[in-house]
Amino acid sequence: MEFMGILGFIFGLSGLSYAITAKNEIAKLKQELEDFKMSLEGPTEASENKSSE
């Protein structure tokens, strides 16, 4: 019985580690996507702001 508990604990920790890693990777990808969107939109907005000033 103790072996099953230890095995469950190990698998639980590895699953938690995988989930945390996946969460961090998704957060990085979302940030890269937002940066990419800003880089695509940035030059046109910057030139419009300069011409209006």
Side-chain angles (χ1 to χ4, degrees):
M1 268 310 184
E2 288 179 21
F3 175 73
M4 294 299 285
I6 292 170
L7 195 60
F9 181 73
I10 290 170
F11 280 118
L13 282 180
S14 63
L16 179 64
S17 173
Y18 177 77
I20 290 171
T21 302
K23 180 184 170 196
N24 289 336
E25 288 295 318
I26 290 171
K28 285 179 190 177
L29 286 173
K30 282 184 180 180
Q31 184 62 43
E32 287 180 13
L33 178 63
E34 289 300 318
D35 291 343
F36 183 65
K37 284 182 183 177
M38 293 297 285
S39 71
L40 289 177
E41 295 173 356
T44 57
E45 291 176 1
S47 62
E48 289 175 3
N49 289 340
K50 287 181 182 178
S51 62
S52 64
E53 291 178 357

